[in-house]
Amino acid sequence: MRQLEEKWTPAQKDAIRSRGETLLVSAAAGSGKTAVLTERIIDRLLDEENPLDLSRILVVTFTKAAAGELKSRIRDALNREIAKAPDNHRLRTQLLNVGRAKISTIDSFCLDLIRTNFAALSLSPKVSVADEAQAKLLAKTVMEGLIDDHFDGLITDETNFIPDFGDLCDLFVTTRSAEELAKVLLELYDKVDNFEDGILWLKKQAENLDFYADADFLAKDNPLSAPLRSRLTAWTEAGDAFYQRAGLFLTDYPEYAKNYGESFSYMGGWFSHLHTLLSDGASYDAVRQHFAGVVKIPSLKGVRGDKASPESIRFKETHQSYADQLKNEFRDRFFSMSQGDIAAMNHRQALVIDGLYRLLSLFENRLTEEKRRRQILDFGDMKRYALRLLWDGERNCPTEAARQEALKYDEIYIDEYQDVSPVQDRIFSSIANKDNRFM
C-alpha cells in the first residue's frame, strides 16, 4: 500500500483511505478538506490492488477557479509520483487524462447533460445560456409586468387570481412600488427554487397549514409543531434531570438548603409535572396553562464568602438559566397564544402562502415562455432541467437516463458540499450508488 505523508492527521488519513462507503467530511474552513479530497483521488489512482481511472470519476465544485485548482493539484501530484516511477505507463496515461477529466462546476455538469439531451427535454439545440445580468433583467421585467397586471385588475382567471392582492403586497413592502416588491419576490423565488419541488413547495406548505390548523398544536401527529415538540421535550427532560441532581446536591450539602431549597424544590416540581404532561400527550392549552401558572419563582438567596463553592455557583447559574428560559423563551415566545389563536393564524398563513404560490407560479410560466421565445436558459434552468432528466418525481426514483449516467462513474466527489442546494443534492444522489460519494 502507498505510504501517506506524515503531514496528514489520523482523521484525514481515515478520510483518504476509507473505501466502500459514502463519506461526508466536515471540518472548519482552512483545515484542508479540499487537500484531503485531492489526496484521496490521487490515492485511489495509485491503489495497487484496485486502481481508479481518472476518466471514471466525477468531481464538482462551485467555481471555475476551484475546478481549475483541483485539476492543477491532481496534475502536480501525478507529476511527483511519475518522478518517483518514470517508467510507470499507467501514471502517464492518467496525467494525459487530467485535461479531459470530468472536473467542473455544478452548472457546467448540468449544462453538459442538457446539451446531450435536448430532444428528451424538448429544447431547441440552438438554446444558449444567458449571462447573469441578462437573466436578472429579464426576470425583473417579467415580475414587474405581472405586478402591474395584478394592480390593474388584468388577472381574472380563477387559477391565478389573488383576492386582496394589495394586502398581500403590504406584508412584504411598506410602499406599493412595483420595483421594490419585485425585488423582494424575486429573492423569495430564488430561495424557493432551490427546493426539490420548486415553487410547488409553497402550495404543499399552504395545504399542510390549512389541513392541520385546527388540530391540537402539540399533538404528536401534527407536523406544524414538530420542531417545538422536539425542543420542548429535550429541554424538559434536561431540566427534570438537573433538578433531581439539585435535590441530591442539597441533601449532600445541607448548608445550601436554606438558600436554594425553596426555589429548587419549586422548579423541580414544576419540571416534573411538565414532563408528565408531555409524556401523557397533554393538549397545547394544558401545557400553556402550566407555563402561565408560573407567576413568580421563589427568589434564590446568595451564598457569600467562604460558603460559596464552584459547585454551588454552577447549580445557581444553571438554575437561573432554566428560570430565564422558562419565562422569556418558552412561556412568552411559544406559549403566549391560545389554541384558537394559533388555528386562526395558521389559516391566515395558508392563504398568504397560497397567494404567493399563485403569484410565483404565474411568474414562472411567463418567464419560461419568454426564455423559450428567446431560446435562452439561465443558471436556475440548468439545475431544473438536469433534475427533470435524472429524477422521476412521481415515482420518486432515478430515471433511466440517471441509471445510464451513473454507469459512467465509479466515484463522485463534491467539494464545498455545505453550499449544495436540495435540488443539486438530488441530482447527484440520483446518479450515485450507496457507497461511492465523497463530500
Side-chain angles (χ1 to χ4, degrees):
M1 180 179 289
R2 170 176 172 260
Q3 187 70 31
L4 292 177
E5 295 180 31
E6 290 300 320
K7 68 177 182 179
W8 304 110
T9 68
Q12 289 173 325
K13 288 180 180 179
D14 284 344
I16 293 167
R17 282 278 154 85
S18 174
R19 301 289 185 265
E21 59 185 344
T22 285
L23 197 65
L24 173 63
V25 175
S26 177
S31 58
K33 295 186 296 295
T34 302
V36 166
L37 181 148
T38 306
E39 183 66 19
R40 179 185 169 91
I41 293 174
I42 297 299
D43 198 55
R44 291 291 289 113
L45 295 176
L46 301 177
D47 192 313
E48 295 176 1
E49 296 181 2
N50 183 28
L52 187 68
D53 195 285
L54 198 53
S55 64
R56 297 281 303 166
I57 68 170
L58 170 65
V59 186
V60 292
T61 188
F62 276 83
T63 66
K64 290 181 179 179
E69 175 67 16
L70 277 171
K71 283 189 177 183
S72 178
R73 289 189 183 193
I74 293 172
R75 184 181 291 109
D76 290 345
L78 283 171
N79 276 321
R80 288 195 298 271
E81 295 299 327
I82 289 173
K84 300 175 187 176
D87 296 330
N88 191 317
H89 177 71
R90 187 176 179 283
L91 285 180
R92 292 187 176 278
T93 301
Q94 297 305 310
L95 183 61
L96 291 174
N97 285 338
V98 172
R100 299 188 297 270
K102 199 74 170 180
I103 302 173
S104 68
T105 65
I106 294 176
D107 289 332
S108 294
F109 171 77
C110 292
L111 184 57
D112 285 346
L113 280 175
I114 293 169
R115 282 173 171 162
T116 55
N117 292 276
F118 282 122
L121 293 169
S122 302
L123 289 172
S124 167
K126 298 179 181 180
V127 72
S128 61
V129 179
D131 63 58
E132 189 173 1
Q134 180 187 7
K136 285 186 175 181
L137 179 60
L138 179 59
K140 179 175 180 288
T141 301
V142 172
M143 182 64 83
E144 288 178 356
L146 177 60
I147 292 169
D148 288 340
D149 286 350
H150 273 288
F151 279 129
D152 293 340
L154 300 179
I155 309 297
T156 57
D157 60 289
E158 184 177 341
T159 302
N160 299 310
F161 179 73
I162 302 173
D164 302 321
F165 178 73
D167 292 342
L168 176 67
C169 297
D170 289 342
L171 294 173
F172 296 95
V173 292
T174 55
T175 60
R176 295 200 176 178
S177 161
E179 184 175 1
E180 185 180 350
L181 181 60
K183 179 182 177 182
V184 174
L185 292 174
L186 286 171
E187 289 175 353
L188 177 62
Y189 176 80
D190 287 341
K191 290 184 178 181
V192 174
D193 192 49
N194 280 318
F195 289 112
E196 188 177 330
D197 290 326
I199 57 171
L200 186 61
W201 179 83
L202 286 171
K203 183 179 181 181
K204 291 180 178 180
Q205 298 308 307
E207 291 172 346
N208 209 35
L209 274 168
D210 204 46
F211 182 82
Y212 286 101
D214 294 318
D216 184 81
F217 189 60
L218 278 186
K220 292 183 178 179
D221 60 348
N222 189 339
L224 304 184
S225 62
L228 174 59
R229 286 201 311 276
S230 176
R231 187 171 176 181
L232 179 62
T233 299
W235 181 75
T236 302
E237 290 176 350
D240 193 22
F242 168 75
Y243 283 103
Q244 289 183 37
R245 292 197 304 273
L248 295 175
F249 168 75
L250 293 181
T251 300
D252 293 338
Y253 298 93
E255 64 268 26
Y256 293 105
K258 179 181 177 181
N259 304 79
Y260 298 168
E262 183 183 6
S263 194
F264 279 19
S265 176
Y266 176 86
M267 288 289 283
W270 187 90
F271 266 102
S272 177
H273 185 57
L274 177 59
H275 191 276
T276 300
L277 286 173
L278 296 177
S279 299
D280 292 345
S283 68
Y284 170 84
D285 275 339
V287 175
R288 177 174 179 251
Q289 185 176 5
H290 184 57
F291 273 95
V294 180
V295 178
K296 184 179 180 180
I297 299 172
S299 61
L300 195 66
K301 299 175 183 178
V303 179
R304 297 180 179 179
D306 295 336
K307 291 184 178 180
S309 68
E311 188 175 20
S312 71
I313 292 172
R314 280 199 303 273
F315 271 99
K316 179 180 178 181
E317 290 177 345
T318 304
H319 164 80
Q320 190 59 54
S321 175
Y322 275 114
D324 291 341
Q325 290 173 352
L326 188 163
K327 293 180 289 186
N328 302 328
E329 185 170 357
F330 286 97
R331 185 186 67 185
D332 296 345
R333 184 178 178 191
F334 295 122
F335 290 93
S336 61
M337 301 172 69
S338 69
Q339 174 66 40
D341 291 337
I342 290 178
M345 178 186 68
N346 284 332
H347 281 303
R348 289 196 301 272
Q349 287 183 346
L351 288 174
V352 169
I353 296 174
D354 182 67
L356 281 175
Y357 166 72
R358 295 182 187 213
L359 178 64
L360 296 183
S361 179
L362 184 54
F363 162 74
E364 186 173 75
N365 291 340
R366 287 188 177 187
L367 182 62
T368 300
E369 184 179 337
E370 184 60 26
K371 285 186 289 191
R372 283 187 177 274
R373 188 184 69 79
R374 301 188 186 199
Q375 295 189 338
I376 59 173
L377 300 174
D378 59 28
F379 289 105
D381 293 326
M382 286 191 271
K383 66 176 185 285
R384 281 285 155 201
Y385 280 119
L387 181 68
R388 185 190 304 178
L389 184 70
L390 300 175
W391 187 254
D392 187 332
E394 292 184 2
R395 293 186 176 89
N396 199 36
C397 66
T399 63
E400 179 58 31
R403 286 187 280 271
Q404 293 302 314
E405 187 70 18
L407 294 175
K408 300 178 182 178
Y409 310 114
D410 292 327
E411 293 187 1
I412 296 173
Y413 293 80
I414 305 173
D415 199 19
E416 305 293 348
Y417 181 71
Q418 73 278 0
D419 295 325
V420 169
S421 71
V423 171
Q424 293 166 333
D425 189 50
R426 175 62 74 189
I427 288 170
F428 294 112
S429 65
S430 69
I431 61 171
N433 301 323
K434 63 182 180 180
D435 58 1
N436 73 340
R437 262 194 304 172
F438 182 91
M439 298 161 284

